């Protein structure tokens, strides 16, 4: 259960012709992927909710705090991705440092994280598109608008179609995916920059007073809805005040989800030792700057107490008498979510492919396409399954599982850096995480703190999925593992 796979063996496995992926990505491609998946619904929605209910104008500081937590994890990811340039991200890193069972658990976790993330984003994209259609007088039948719009059983045909189209793009090849992503990310970033530049003309200094509103105690939660830290330690989060900034950070962290997906493309990068750290850290830095700028502009345009929760950016421009910008923001959000959906699907298929190549899942899924050199079998399977989930299911309540899954991966990767530094100090490391062991320990502590701020219900669901994963491992994965067969 705790056998590890050497870094050298992991790299040799990528050289088998029928299991090899095509290397076509550069540092720019990776940065575009990172920006494409990070900038999503978080920047368009969470800003208003957090500013109005938790942090006020200091929401900018909450984004900085969440960005720091991600940066700690990103430095650990950068070392692993440049040292072990193999598909699978945290799963592969755990296999080389912490053993097979831990690797299986984190791989199982990532499969759930990326699947739910893709489905949730596809449903959100469908909502934006329907809204834009309504603006021009086109109305979708309720039966084809998903279970939220229909009174009975509904099917979200737009979300279903989006996932299938993106699946086809990923099957054809990574370079095509990178080109599509580049175009869409350019549109999305242009919309964000437009919000910042145009909004600056409507900022009023009095809206920033007080920048950190006085602290207020939150109503005590109970049962499944209460954060786990409250039940464990009796801690009750505050709204506003200095502690409100950290409470807000655990909420806006959702806006940063996805930068770790960049690490899943390590095997398809031309020079991973150089380009992976640049892609991971560069995309995180760009997005953090954009998030802070947007939150400062929005809270300056409207007093935090008057901000909209559902569409703060668009409604802030409406409040200043500029509905044109509101429509442009909705368009940018709809276009931008396509890349979020595609890159999350990309991440899931690469983790699934890596687990299959190691024998922990059926080896049938580890064959690459003879022409495109992509893992087409798991891509098609997972694409169809997620398309059906997105079409039939309203899964907003499951979105927090994406959050806890990502934070769990952060913890595993940070611990893996500590272990591999001790067990394999001889490995050539193109990028070294600074201040080891202090920085990885801080990364673990920060990630665990944010996890403890999630509701008990999320922990129960996460635990149930992990328990199912352990059962699958002992029934199938343990006996079919390639490492086990070599041992025998």
């Amino acid at each position: 259960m705790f056998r590890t796979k050497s870094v050298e063996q992991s790299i040799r496995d990528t050289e088998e012709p029928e299991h090899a992926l095509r290397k076509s990505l550069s540092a720019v491609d990776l940065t575009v992927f990172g920006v494409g998946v990070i900038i999503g619904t978080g920047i368009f929605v969470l800003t208003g909710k957090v500013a109005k209910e938790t942090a006020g104008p200091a929401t900018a500081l909450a984004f900085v705090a969440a960005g720091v937590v991600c940066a700690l994890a990103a430095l650990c990811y950068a070392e692993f991705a440049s040292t072990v340039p193999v598909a699978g991200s945290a799963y592969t890193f755990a296999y080389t440092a912490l053993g097979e069972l831990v690797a299986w658990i984190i791989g199982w976790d990532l499969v759930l994280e990326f699947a739910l993330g893709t489905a949730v984003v596809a449903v959100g994209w469908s909502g934006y598109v329907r809204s834009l259609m309504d603006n021009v007088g086109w109305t979708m039948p309720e039966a084809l608008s998903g279970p939220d719009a229909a009174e009975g059983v509904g099917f979200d045909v737009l979300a279903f179609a989006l996932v299938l189209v993106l699946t086809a793009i990923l099957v054809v090849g990574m370079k095509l995916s990178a080109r599509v992503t580049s175009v869409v990310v350019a549109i999305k970033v242009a919309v964000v920059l437009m919000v910042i530049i145009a909004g600056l003309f409507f900022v009023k200094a009095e809206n920033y007073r007080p920048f950190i509103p006085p602290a207020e105690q939150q109503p005590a939660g109970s049962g499944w809805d209460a954060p786990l830290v409250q039940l464990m330690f009796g801690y009750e989060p505050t709204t506003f005040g200095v502690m409100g900034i950290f409470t807000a950070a655990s909420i806006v962290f959702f806006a940063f989800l996805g930068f770790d997906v960049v690490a899943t493309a390590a095997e398809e990068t031309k020079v991973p030792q150089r380009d992976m750290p640049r892609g991971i850290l560069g995309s995180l830095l760009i997005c953090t700057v954009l998030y802070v700028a947007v939150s400062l502009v929005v809270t300056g345009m409207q007093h935090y107490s008057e901000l909209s929760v559902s569409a703060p950016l668009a409604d802030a421009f409406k409040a200043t008498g500029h509905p044109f910008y509101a429509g442009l923001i909705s368009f940018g959000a709809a276009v931008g979510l396509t890349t979020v959906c595609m890159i999350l699907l990309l991440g899931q298929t690469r983790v699934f492919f890596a687990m299959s190549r190691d024998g922990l899942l059926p080896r049938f899924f580890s064959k690459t396409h003879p022409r495109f050199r992509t893992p087409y079998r798991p891509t098609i399977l997972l694409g169809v399954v997620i398309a059906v989930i997105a079409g039939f299911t309203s899964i907003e309540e499951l979105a927090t599982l994406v959050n806890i899954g990502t934070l769990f991966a952060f913890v595993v990767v940070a611990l893996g850096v500590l272990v591999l530094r001790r067990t394999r100090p001889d490995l050539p490391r193109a990028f070294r995480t600074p201040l080891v062991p202090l920085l990885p320990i801080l990364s673990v502590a920060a990630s665990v703190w944010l996890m403890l701020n999630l509701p008990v219900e999320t922990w129960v669901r996460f635990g149930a999925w992990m328990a199912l994963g352990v059962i699958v491992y002992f029934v199938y994965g343990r006996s079919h593992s390639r490492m086990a067969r070599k041992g025998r």
Side-chain angles (χ1 to χ4, degrees):
M1 288 188 299
F2 298 102
R3 53 183 167 243
T4 58
K5 184 178 181 181
S6 70
V7 174
E8 293 79 5
Q9 182 61 51
S10 296
I11 296 175
R12 279 197 298 270
D13 287 347
T14 69
E15 298 167 353
E16 298 174 357
E18 62 181 3
H19 304 292
L21 299 172
R22 177 174 293 164
K23 298 181 182 296
S24 60
L25 300 179
S26 65
V28 174
D29 293 326
L30 295 172
T31 303
V32 169
F33 273 138
V35 174
V37 73
I38 295 173
I39 297 181
T41 52
I43 196 169
F44 295 108
V45 177
L46 287 179
T47 306
K49 177 179 175 63
V50 170
K52 188 171 185 176
E53 301 176 359
T54 311
T59 297
L61 300 180
F63 276 115
V64 171
V68 169
V69 174
C70 290
L72 294 174
L75 290 168
C76 298
Y77 268 91
E79 175 170 325
F80 257 127
S82 59
T83 306
V84 193
V86 179
S89 184
Y91 158 76
T92 300
F93 307 157
Y95 211 157
T96 60
L98 302 174
E100 186 174 277
L101 178 59
V102 178
W104 165 267
I105 289 174
I106 193 63
W108 187 253
D109 160 56
L110 291 174
V111 167
L112 175 70
E113 172 197 337
F114 292 146
L116 290 181
T118 305
V120 168
V121 172
V123 172
W125 175 87
S126 174
Y128 273 109
V129 171
R130 289 198 306 273
S131 175
L132 289 172
M133 291 171 64
D134 290 340
N135 290 341
V136 296
W138 299 346
T139 304
M140 288 282 294
E142 288 188 355
L144 299 179
S145 300
D148 284 338
E151 294 181 1
V153 177
F155 181 76
D156 194 333
V157 68
L158 292 177
F160 177 81
L162 173 68
V163 177
L164 290 186
V165 169
L166 297 180
T167 298
I169 292 174
L170 289 175
V171 168
V172 170
M174 280 294 285
K175 199 60 186 176
L176 175 61
S177 306
R179 289 170 181 164
V180 172
T181 302
S182 298
V183 173
V184 177
V185 168
I187 296 173
K188 181 162 55 174
V189 172
V191 171
V192 173
L193 291 175
M194 180 273 297
V195 171
I196 296 170
I197 295 171
L200 285 173
F201 292 97
F202 310 112
V203 168
K204 298 179 180 178
E206 58 265 25
N207 288 332
Y208 290 128
R209 302 190 188 103
F211 190 75
I212 302 179
E216 300 175 4
Q217 201 70 33
Q218 284 185 344
S222 61
W224 299 114
D225 294 332
L228 184 63
V229 68
Q230 182 174 321
L231 296 185
M232 291 177 62
F233 307 111
Y235 166 77
E236 295 186 7
T238 62
T239 58
F240 307 119
V242 175
M243 292 306 298
I245 296 173
F246 296 102
T247 302
S250 66
I251 301 172
V252 301
F253 176 80
F254 183 83
F256 287 92
L257 294 185
F259 83 85
D260 55 318
V261 178
V262 177
T264 65
E267 193 173 325
E268 294 159 276
T269 304
K270 295 176 184 176
V271 189
Q273 293 77 9
R274 179 195 67 195
D275 294 342
M276 287 306 301
R278 293 180 180 180
I280 293 173
L281 297 171
S283 59
L284 183 61
L285 176 62
I286 291 171
C287 293
T288 302
V289 171
L290 291 176
Y291 279 2
V292 170
V294 167
S295 61
L296 286 173
V297 166
V298 172
T299 53
M301 290 175 64
Q302 251 189 319
H303 194 267
Y304 71 89
S305 61
E306 300 173 356
L307 283 172
S308 161
V309 173
S310 58
L313 275 67
D315 290 346
F317 278 102
K318 287 180 182 178
T320 58
H322 293 81
F324 167 77
Y325 291 111
L328 197 59
I329 290 169
S330 296
F331 171 76
V335 172
L337 290 181
T338 58
T339 57
V340 180
C341 195
M342 182 172 71
I343 299 169
L344 287 174
L345 182 59
L346 161 73
Q348 188 194 36
T349 57
R350 270 44 179 185
V351 173
F352 199 96
F353 168 78
M355 296 175 73
S356 172
R357 191 166 56 187
D358 289 332
L360 297 178
L361 290 171
R363 291 269 289 173
F364 170 82
F365 295 108
S366 66
K367 298 288 181 67
T368 55
H369 194 281
R371 177 184 173 187
F372 303 126
R373 311 309 303 173
T374 57
Y376 68 106
R377 290 174 176 175
T379 301
I380 293 172
L381 170 69
L382 296 170
V384 172
V385 170
I386 294 171
V388 172
I389 293 174
F392 279 111
T393 313
S394 174
I395 50 179
E396 291 181 4
E397 68 277 7
L398 297 182
T400 51
L401 278 174
V402 182
N403 217 337
I404 195 172
T406 301
L407 288 165
F408 180 60
F410 287 2
V411 171
V412 170
V413 170
L415 292 175
V417 167
L418 292 174
V419 172
L420 205 62
R421 282 286 187 96
R422 179 173 291 274
T423 58
R424 292 297 308 273
D426 58 306
L427 279 177
R429 292 170 168 85
F431 179 89
R432 297 177 68 88
T433 303
L435 301 176
V436 174
L438 177 62
L439 192 144
I441 292 173
L442 288 175
S443 178
V444 171
S447 298
V448 169
W449 172 252
L450 292 183
M451 290 173 73
L452 291 175
N453 278 277
L454 294 172
V456 175
E457 183 178 23
T458 299
W459 280 88
V460 172
R461 288 173 174 168
F462 181 68
W465 177 255
M466 291 294 102
L468 176 61
V470 171
I471 293 172
V472 173
Y473 172 75
F474 282 105
V475 171
Y476 181 89
R478 187 182 182 194
S479 57
H480 289 80
S481 163
R482 293 183 71 190
M483 294 294 292
R485 292 181 178 182
K486 286 182 180 179
R488 288 196 294 268

